[in-house]
Amino acid sequence: KKMTYVSSVERIGIEKGLQQGMQQGEALALQKLLTKRFGAVAPATTAQIEAADSLQIGVWFDRAIDAPSLAAVFTDQ
């Protein structure tokens, strides 16, 4: 069998793509949770989630599990 050579540039691209895919999945999971708990999510909130990094999405997701309101998920504590 031949081993395929992957250059460092290709490897970085692959890692970046995987990271971006994971972040998109986390954002989608958060949006689903918010919709299930609080109803339709405003487009501005969706845009805010999509612009956030994985760390921030994780914080919001944890808050969304038991937050009393949608606003409480996004308030700085």
Side-chain angles (χ1 to χ4, degrees), residues 10-23:
E10 290 172 319
R11 189 173 312 116
I12 291 170
I14 291 167
E15 289 173 7
K16 234 179 169 175
L18 289 171
Q19 209 171 39
Q20 185 178 18
M22 288 177 58
Q23 187 171 345

Side-chain angles (χ1 to χ4, degrees), residues 29-63:
L30 175 58
Q31 290 174 40
K32 284 183 167 188
L33 175 60
L34 294 175
T35 300
K36 182 79 171 171
R37 293 222 45 232
F38 306 111
V41 176
T45 302
T46 300
Q48 182 179 6
I49 294 168
E50 290 172 352
D53 62 22
S54 289
L55 183 62
Q56 183 63 63
I57 291 170
V59 169
W60 290 333
F61 191 93
D62 290 344
R63 287 183 192 165

